[in-house]
Amino acid sequence: MAKSGTIEIHGDAIMAFWNAPLPVEGHAARACEAALDMQAKLVSLNAEWEAEATAEGHGHIPVNIVSA
């Protein structure tokens, strides 16, 4: 993954996390950057899908940062 995180797929949901099982420097910033990247990608995908008369994509990108 581009931001050095780990991805898990749960049904139709995708979960990404950082700083586990190994420490990742700047994990909170990387999580926020990944969320912003996903939002931007969804905007560009929706533009493509609109041109193809395909359904618009929707999603929620919550970010939770905790200290262990």
Side-chain angles (χ1 to χ4, degrees), residues 6-62:
T6 301
I7 294 177
E8 290 183 352
I9 299 173
H10 300 275
D12 64 350
I14 300 171
M15 183 175 78
F17 58 91
W18 289 258
N19 215 36
L22 301 173
V24 175
E25 178 106 14
H27 60 92
R30 290 173 190 247
C32 292
E33 290 168 359
L36 292 171
D37 289 349
M38 288 187 291
Q39 284 181 323
K41 183 62 179 179
L42 185 57
V43 169
S44 69
L45 285 171
N46 279 332
E48 289 177 35
W49 294 334
E50 183 179 357
E52 298 170 358
T54 306
E56 183 175 331
H58 298 277
H60 301 279
I61 307 171

